[in-house]
Amino acid sequence: MFSSYPYVLVAGIIFVCMFIPLSILSEFLFIEPLFVIHVIEDRAFSFTLLVAISFMSAVVIPMNIYRIRTLQKSTTKIGGSLLGSIIGASAGICSCGPIGFSIISTFGTVAGTATAFLTYYEIPLRLVSLGLLCLVYYTTAKSISIKCKIQ
Amino acid sequence: MNRNIIVAAAFFGIVIIVIAGFSSYYFSLLEAQNMPMIKPTSMINLENGSPALGSESAPITIVEFGDYQCESCYYWFHNTRSTLIDNYIETGKAKLVFVDLPFLGRDSITAAQASYCAEDQGKYWEYHTILYTFQDGAPDSGWANQDRLNSFAFTLEMNMDEFNDCMDSSKYKIRVKANYSEAVKQGAQATPTFIIISSDGTTKKFAGAQPYSVFAATIESML
């Protein structure tokens, strides 16, 4: 499947669309005043998880598109992969950042608790997200290989 | 077939939204970068902020808008600040002023007030340091509640009667509010946000727990 150029392109787009905005929102990548990547030792594991989630999303989502388009399978698994990506994307968005500030300024304390939850449970949430993406990868790969063997 | 089209459309819709959102954010930053950066120093009111750390006559002023419960401020404090102090503040090239932007919870406000009660006893920066040293857990989780604020004051061997009277009277409530208003007026929408001011009044603003190299490059370009 990844020998097909459009799927590699989609995978690349998904990786970039996940990695760059999430790195900015999680304050690993700064573009102003200088373009700089800054990963401190305390947050190295979190950065590794962010890269892993971006990579797994870039693998799993095109696999499911292939599965749905080529093998005419159900759309359930792509829902799982999107859910995994969304959990991974929302975890770790810094409550001190502009998004957190806007949410807290607009919606008050309850929103503050929600954004604090996403910030302070960043690693468990990203692990759940990665687990979900790995599960979807496993079931999708199995589904594709069985179908290919039968065909 | 229809279901496949809906899924594909939803997926591409999400991708387009992400790209559009990021592009909009990026272009707004570019637009901000292209705007003239010269702004008179007098436009930034620092009279309610912290006492300056460093020489009053230093040509560069680093203004930090921060929240004591902010995790990014904690990372900046522990990873960048000390090198900045060694190379620019202790050498007399820059001074640091902290302006409160307490938005993360009620304990952020009381912690900011406590820092000014510590200032009354000449221990503002010691108290500031102890707050960032003991930051622990989510906002309002109790690490900066009244009891902990008192225990920090006690650790710094402050006069507890004076400190308690200061806290009970909420005498710095208005000062903290004024700092919040000033931060918002200066366009701070995240903590930490920094404004670097040169002696000729030129300012540069950026947000986030950025590395030392960014500060060094910015300050050197303004000296």
Side-chain angles (χ1 to χ4, degrees):
Chain A
M1 183 206 104
F2 281 108
S3 58
S4 168
Y5 179 73
Y7 286 103
V8 175
L9 184 70
V10 169
I13 291 170
I14 291 169
F15 182 80
V16 170
C17 288
M18 291 275 297
F19 178 72
I20 293 180
L22 290 183
S23 297
I24 292 171
L25 293 173
S26 299
E27 298 196 347
F28 291 119
L29 176 66
F30 300 98
I31 53 177
E32 187 197 21
L34 302 173
F35 187 91
V36 60
I37 290 179
H38 180 54
V39 183
I40 55 170
E41 210 177 307
D42 294 359
R43 299 192 68 205
F45 184 55
S46 170
F47 181 72
T48 308
L49 287 176
L50 193 152
V51 175
I53 288 165
S54 304
F55 178 78
M56 285 303 292
S57 300
V59 170
V60 168
I61 295 172
M63 276 175 83
N64 275 285
I65 294 171
Y66 170 80
R67 191 174 147 275
I68 292 162
R69 286 192 64 214
T70 312
L71 307 177
Q72 303 295 312
K73 290 286 235 173
S74 79
T75 56
T76 318
K77 287 191 181 72
I78 200 166
S81 56
L82 288 176
L83 181 67
S85 303
I86 290 164
I87 292 171
S90 53
I93 289 178
C94 181
S95 56
C96 318
I99 292 180
F101 184 81
S102 305
I103 292 171
I104 293 168
S105 303
T106 313
F107 300 106
T109 320
V110 177
T113 309
T115 54
F117 177 82
L118 293 173
T119 305
Y120 286 89
Y121 293 97
E122 172 188 3
I123 288 178
L125 284 170
R126 284 209 165 127
L127 285 170
V128 167
S129 159
L130 194 59
L132 193 57
L133 287 167
C134 288
L135 183 69
V136 175
Y137 172 79
Y138 173 74
T139 54
T140 308
K142 205 170 155 187
S143 161
I144 289 172
S145 61
I146 288 169
K147 189 79 179 177
C148 288
K149 273 177 197 166
I150 292 166
Q151 284 177 338
Chain B
M1 183 61 189
N2 285 341
R3 206 173 172 186
N4 293 346
I5 292 168
I6 292 166
V7 171
F11 168 70
F12 284 109
I14 290 167
V15 171
I16 288 164
I17 289 166
V18 171
I19 293 170
F22 181 68
S23 307
S24 146
Y25 175 68
Y26 184 71
F27 285 118
S28 68
L29 282 180
L30 280 182
E31 201 178 317
Q33 275 180 324
N34 292 333
M35 283 169 72
M37 284 189 299
I38 297 170
K39 189 190 262 187
T41 312
S42 57
M43 294 281 287
I44 303 173
N45 181 0
L46 299 176
E47 68 183 22
N48 290 307
S50 74
L53 180 68
S55 167
E56 280 292 345
S57 60
I60 299 286
T61 304
I62 304 165
V63 183
E64 178 191 358
F65 296 101
D67 183 314
Y68 287 112
Q69 297 200 93
C70 162
E71 201 185 24
S72 289
C73 301
Y74 172 91
Y75 289 130
W76 185 81
F77 184 91
H78 290 281
N79 293 285
T80 305
R81 187 177 177 268
S82 57
T83 320
L84 199 62
I85 288 175
D86 290 346
N87 295 337
Y88 288 99
I89 291 172
E90 286 185 355
T91 55
K93 292 176 183 170
K95 59 181 178 286
L96 176 68
V97 177
F98 185 85
V99 177
D100 310 286
L101 176 52
F103 73 99
L104 284 169
R106 61 181 186 279
D107 288 351
S108 301
I109 298 164
T110 48
Q113 290 175 19
S115 70
Y116 295 120
C117 290
E119 185 189 2
D120 286 347
Q121 298 186 42
K123 294 200 172 177
Y124 177 88
W125 287 109
E126 290 88 339
Y127 202 87
H128 177 92
T129 300
I130 211 167
L131 284 170
Y132 278 126
T133 304
F134 287 94
Q135 191 198 93
D136 182 25
D140 294 346
S141 61
W143 76 266
N145 62 21
Q146 191 60 56
D147 290 342
R148 293 300 303 279
L149 295 175
N150 287 345
S151 74
F152 297 149
F154 184 77
T155 306
L156 292 173
E157 297 177 348
M158 288 164 55
N159 180 324
M160 292 309 295
D161 289 336
E162 200 182 312
F163 182 81
N164 287 332
D165 286 347
C166 174
M167 290 301 287
D168 291 344
S169 69
S170 298
K171 68 191 250 199
Y172 289 119
K173 196 175 173 183
I174 292 168
R175 182 175 177 179
V176 172
K177 267 189 183 173
N179 279 336
Y180 180 94
S181 302
E182 186 60 28
V184 172
K185 188 179 152 196
Q186 295 303 326
Q189 292 184 327
T191 51
T193 290
F194 298 93
I195 296 182
I196 316 280
I197 309 165
S198 73
S199 52
D200 65 1
T202 307
T203 65
K204 285 188 183 177
K205 185 176 86 177
F206 51 88
Q210 302 223 16
Y212 169 74
S213 59
V214 171
F215 286 87
T218 308
I219 292 170
E220 289 297 335
S221 72
M222 296 172 86
L223 275 172

